Amino acid sequence: MILTRRSHSRAAVFKALATIFFLSFCFVFSYLQLQGTSSLQFLSNRLPTSGNLTAAHFPPELIKFWTNFADSLLESRPVCADIKIDHAPPNDTETRFEPDNPNKQRVDFLRLSAEDQKAVKNSHSFMVKQALHKAPNLFYNRRTKGIVTTAGPRYVPILLVSLRMLRRSGSRLPVEVFLGSWDEYDSTICEGLFPSLGARCRVITDIYNKAPSVAKLEHFQFKIFAILFSSFEDVLFLDADAFPGNNPDDLFLTEPYSSYGLVTWPDIFGNTASPIYFQIASISEPPVSLRLSSESGQLLLSKSKHAADLLLMTYYNYYGPSYYYPLLCQGSHGAGDKETFIHAAMALDRPFWDVRERPWVLGHWKNGQFGLVAMAQYHPGDDWRIENGLNRSSDPATPRPLFVHNHFHKLDPKTIIREVGPTRDAEGNYQRMWGPKESIVDRFGHDVEQEVWKEILVTGCEASTDTCAKVKDYYNAMYGEDGKEIYF
Ligand SMILES: *[C@@H]1O[C@H](CO)[C@@H](O)[C@H](O)[C@H]1NC(C)=O
Ligand SMILES: *[C@@H]1O[C@H](CO)[C@@H](O)[C@H](O)[C@H]1NC(C)=O
Ligand SMILES: *[C@@H]1O[C@H](CO)[C@@H](O)[C@H](O)[C@H]1NC(C)=O
């Protein structure tokens, strides 16, 4: 530090001492905060400390925004009959992703009359104008980051396992769990268990129904509304059955999110959006060899950078079952919200990073067939560095997996151990679900599968003595041999 003459005055010395004292206080304070991670005290200042955590109201600014935007949604309804696919789904050859085959044909069997196509296109252009016009009024809490998820009652045990894995990873991000209605509310969970894991329940109908004429939401449509109504500016959306194997908190601060503000992950199939969609959206049709279809178990979105496309995504989902789901996905593999994210960004010419590295399918061989259990999705930072020819310190070409999406066999403690299922080999003996331990440890850096069984055990033992006994039996048989971690 260079001291000028003036700073030798007493006042300046005092000021410097005060600054040093203040800085050390901040340091000790943040250190203490870090130490509090396990008890999640760091989140308690974000939550009301007493009373009904769930009934806390959505901010009036967001309600006002929503009721106003709902008018745009209703006004931009396509004026034609619903789009139906009356064709057998494309076969495996047609949906195979072939990055080295630029001549591969896009799946194209959706048919619309010229008149209907014009009607859908007109409504789309109207919506695009509305989205651009209303985006600046989207309300969220500035400079906040958090995780958003949705969970009906059946998914609560699965979500508890995921939340426990999230906290085990060291993540300090607050979580908002959106419920479909008050019928799904359970005070033990929403006022007790979830808050102890840094999560709070929010009931979507509390705000959704403030717009009087909107249609009731169905299954796939909840995700985008949960993102739209969440309080955070920077959102990591996770399906209830997805969790990080390592701490995801730096994703918001680093590339590719810091430049793009929208990050999506791939599925294992090629894209099957109809050529008609691109005409409707007035954008050029990308070759199908360009990117895989999307897998929306995890998604990063910045509301400050992507407000307008978020509104267009909302439009695609609001009219998803009747128009945009068939337009954006002609295949049988997960028709639904998954393709709405990048296509809305493309329609508004907004930047996004679609992770290029294909998901790592987790499972095991049984009778000569691969039994798919889950999908591991890669760290977007590693993916971005590899694509840009930059090295990761030790191993330049191998990205690390980050998320595990248990889409195929849900980790519900009550049902995951069955006579025939992912925990049994062909002879019916217990086995690991995700394949050899070595590959999991090698790529995640630790045994995420053993760790998830500890959380399934905790969650199963909260649920019932039967489930608890079943999981203990499996855990001891699989992991008890090293003598250290036998549960009785
Ligand atoms: C919280 O508020 C909601 C709606 O007002 C109510 O249905 C629920 O029972 C309340 N829960 C508790 C624990 O008071
Ligand atoms: C898939 O469908 C195409 C027609 O689009 C056909 O030529 C091909 O033989 C089919 N492949 C399989 C494996 O059924
Ligand atoms: C990447 O690593 C390779 C060898 O591991 C090295 O030769 C190369 O210079 C590195 N490139 C960058 C951009 O650091």
Side-chain angles (χ1 to χ4, degrees), residues 333-390:
H333 297 297
D337 56 22
K338 46 193 252 141
E339 295 300 341
T340 58
F341 306 101
I342 63 169
H343 287 93
M346 283 160 66
L348 292 179
D349 200 17
R350 303 294 302 144
F352 59 91
W353 184 264
D354 51 314
V355 168
R356 316 293 151 86
E357 193 71 28
R358 294 185 196 207
W360 173 24
V361 289
L362 302 176
H364 47 255
W365 293 90
K366 211 186 257 189
N367 298 328
Q369 287 221 318
F370 187 77
L372 173 66
V373 176
M375 231 190 250
Q377 292 283 12
Y378 286 96
H379 193 290
D382 290 357
D383 185 71
W384 177 86
R385 275 187 291 274
I386 290 167
E387 283 299 315
N388 286 288
L390 304 167

Side-chain angles (χ1 to χ4, degrees), residues 273-293:
S274 163
I276 298 174
Y277 163 75
F278 299 97
Q279 292 164 22
I280 286 168
S282 311
I283 52 176
S284 61
E285 181 190 314
V288 275
S289 56
L290 184 64
R291 65 172 65 87
L292 285 148
S293 61

Side-chain angles (χ1 to χ4, degrees), residues 87 90-94 96:
H87 190 284
N91 64 33
D92 291 353
T93 317
E94 291 166 301
R96 183 182 303 143

Side-chain angles (χ1 to χ4, degrees), residues 389-394 396:
L390 304 167
N391 288 345
R392 189 157 72 79
S393 44
S394 53

Side-chain angles (χ1 to χ4, degrees), residues 52 54-55 182 185 187 191:
N52 191 325
T54 312
W182 278 100
Y185 171 79
S187 64
E191 316 302 329

